Amino acid sequence: MSIFEDNKIKHTPISELGEFGLIDHITKSFICKNKNTIEGVGDDAAVLDYLDDKYQLLSTDMLLEGVHFDLSYSPLKHLGYKAVSVNVSDICAMNGEATHITVSIAVSNRFPVEALEELYSGINLACKKYKLDLIGGDTTSSIHGLVISISVFGEVEKSKISYRKGAKVNDLVVVTGDLGAAYLGLQILKREKEIFIENPAIQPDLQGNDYALQRQLKTEARTNLVDVLKDLNIVPTSMIDISDGLTSEILHLSKKSDVGITIYEDKLPIDYTTMNLSKELNLNPIFCALNGGEDYELLFTISQEHYSKLKKDVDFTIIGHVTHKSEGNNFIAKDNSSHEITAQGWEPIKNKNI
Ligand code: ADP
Ligand code: MG
């Protein structure tokens, strides 16, 4: 009898643990046995020690049609590019440089060769942009839809590595770029899809929302950050990429670093087009910036001594500071009210579409 049919075996719904609880649960009994494994499960990338002065980095991400992307509004070329970018972003989050990828796909017979050519033209574009070698993968058939699983390899100088752990009390909390636009891009695409389903004669109205759509469909990894930090001679005390939304990543960083983090509403970097679009869609721009996800910016902490160096770069915004763990994680609104940052719960489909 299989576990699905056996009523005597307890059936705990995955939603009871949440995505991150589930990962902890299924991986906690694994102990790293090889002495070259410096960091296994739990950060943006695994860290392996095979080279003298550098660590080898390895990360993997899987994208499923219908869960992470919808082909009715994701062009295959963009999807290929984005699938690589989200992997490279995890290497950036370790302060490293990506070097190689493997790409595995499962495809149903609904896909003609030309569709896969499109997908791979996007993958190839990303390989050129990020200077990556495609070194292998796997191809298999699926019953429904497309699955793309990419693994990325990278390296980082040992003295420059940034983990999720390492943030110190009084450090500054910094984000790159701006937040919330990718989420709004997704809302536009969903809205136009619904209108199209109801009335196929109406053409999608994507005019004027270029930035949000580009942020959703043509994700770029923040490879330039690694170079900028090197030039400024700054090594973040901790770092993570913002794939699931700012608040979610703040919780990861503070938990791993055993600290608290306080951020301020009036410091959040939000593009003016994001402000305007959120009003049009009747969404709160602060909510989008805090919880939107898929911006693939980097969130990191630095020692206060670097403050003056950072000030010169418009691409960095100091949004808060690190506190003692006992103070917890807090969001200070414009009216000075303090709100505890809590986990969002597990919604596998929310914010995960490409
Ligand atoms: P990210 O959002 O940066 O891709 P995740 O939240 O997906 O990271 O994963 C967190 C950590 O858990 C990573 O170190 C990842 O490698 C690990 N992980 C996720 N799923 C599994 C799994 N099924 N088995 C083993 N490790 C996993
Ligand atoms: Mg990550």
Side-chain angles (χ1 to χ4, degrees):
M1 200 185 320
S2 84
I3 190 165
F4 299 104
E5 294 149 8
D6 190 344
N7 289 333
K8 286 193 211 88
I9 296 178
K10 192 175 167 221
H11 286 166
T12 308
I14 289 174
S15 55
E16 215 169 87
L17 299 179
E19 179 183 350
F20 306 116
L22 175 71
I23 296 172
D24 279 349
H25 185 70
I26 57 180
T27 59
K28 68 184 173 206
S29 59
F30 288 78
I31 294 158
C32 292
K33 293 167 273 303
N34 294 297
K35 68 174 185 340
N36 357 44
T37 310
I38 305 299
E39 184 84 9
V41 172
D43 215 304
D44 290 292
V47 180
L48 309 177
D49 189 1
Y50 284 107
L51 310 165
D52 276 349
D53 53 346
K54 286 181 174 176
Y55 286 126
Q56 192 90 56
L57 303 168
L58 172 60
S59 183
T60 189
D61 263 311
M62 180 161 54
L63 302 176
L64 261 78
E65 185 179 354
V67 177
H68 302 93
F69 58 89
D70 183 332
L71 287 178
S72 59
Y73 50 65
S74 291
L76 280 160
K77 186 173 175 182
H78 286 67
L79 179 62
Y81 191 93
K82 181 168 182 171
V84 177
S85 292
V86 302
N87 274 279
V88 171
S89 178
D90 277 324
I91 299 296
C92 295
M94 308 301 292
N95 209 14
E97 279 170 41
T99 52
H100 303 80
I101 53 167
T102 62
V103 179
S104 300
I105 51 169
V107 268
S108 69
N109 54 15
R110 169 165 75 86
F111 287 81
V113 171
E114 288 73 16
L116 295 175
E117 283 173 1
E118 276 290 296
L119 179 75
Y120 270 72
S121 72
I123 292 175
N124 203 349
L125 199 63
C127 283
K128 286 181 185 142
K129 167 78 199 286
Y130 300 122
K131 300 192 182 71
L132 300 171
D133 296 338
L134 171 71
I135 53 163
D138 196 20
T139 304
T140 172
S141 56
S142 84
I143 297 170
H144 304 287
L146 175 65
V147 180
I148 310 166
S149 175
I150 297 188
S151 293
V152 60
F153 299 77
E155 54 188 41
V156 56
E157 276 173 49
K158 284 183 177 172
S159 59
K160 299 249 157 61
I161 191 161
S162 299
Y163 295 99
R164 292 181 179 182
K165 65 187 175 203
K168 302 272 178 309
V169 176
N170 292 330
D171 279 355
L172 302 171
V173 177
V174 186
V175 285
T176 56
D178 57 83
L179 302 172
Y183 176 73
L184 288 173
L186 179 61
Q187 304 315 308
I188 295 275
L189 291 166
K190 281 183 172 167
R191 179 186 75 182
E192 295 308 314
K193 184 183 174 184
E194 268 168 38
I195 293 171
F196 181 76
I197 289 169
E198 271 172 34
N199 188 347
I202 301 178
Q203 286 300 303
D205 176 15
L206 301 174
Q207 290 280 314
N209 297 313
D210 299 1
Y211 184 61
L213 291 168
Q214 179 205 325
R215 292 285 282 174
Q216 171 58 221
L217 293 174
K218 197 171 176 299
T219 301
E220 291 287 349
R222 277 283 178 180
T223 46
N224 60 333
L225 175 95
V226 177
D227 300 329
V228 173
L229 288 175
K230 202 182 274 177
D231 288 348
L232 294 174
N233 211 0
I234 296 175
V235 179
T237 50
S238 70
M239 182 145 65
I240 188 168
D241 72 333
I242 308 180
S243 46
D244 294 328
L246 180 64
T247 50
S248 166
E249 315 303 0
I250 282 196
L251 293 174
H252 285 312
L253 211 77
S254 59
K255 187 175 174 201
K256 282 275 170 185
S257 295
D258 212 24
V259 293
I261 288 179
T262 295
I263 58 166
Y264 296 85
E265 175 178 353
D266 59 3
K267 301 271 192 268
L268 294 178
I270 302 176
D271 191 71
Y272 74 97
T273 57
T274 306
M275 283 287 185
N276 294 340
L277 185 55
S278 58
K279 275 186 205 130
E280 188 190 318
L281 295 173
N282 238 337
L283 292 164
N284 180 339
I286 303 297
F287 174 87
C288 300
L290 288 176
N291 304 310
E294 293 208 291
D295 289 313
Y296 292 98
E297 294 295 344
L298 294 163
L299 171 72
F300 58 97
T301 55
I302 54 163
S303 158
Q304 288 203 14
E305 69 185 91
H306 298 305
Y307 174 70
S308 54
K309 296 188 209 166
L310 264 203
K311 254 191 342 189
K312 294 190 197 97
D313 200 309
V314 286
D315 223 18
F316 297 124
T317 309
I318 298 167
I319 58 165
H321 59 269
V322 179
T323 65
H324 193 267
K325 187 184 179 183
S326 60
E327 291 182 44
N329 297 296
N330 298 292
F331 171 73
I332 312 294
K334 276 193 182 127
D335 63 5
N336 240 352
S337 57
S338 177
H339 308 262
E340 194 191 343
I341 299 172
T342 51
Q344 291 289 298
W346 197 52
E347 293 178 62
I349 297 179
K350 186 181 144 235
N351 301 343
K352 293 254 174 158
N353 293 39
I354 282 189

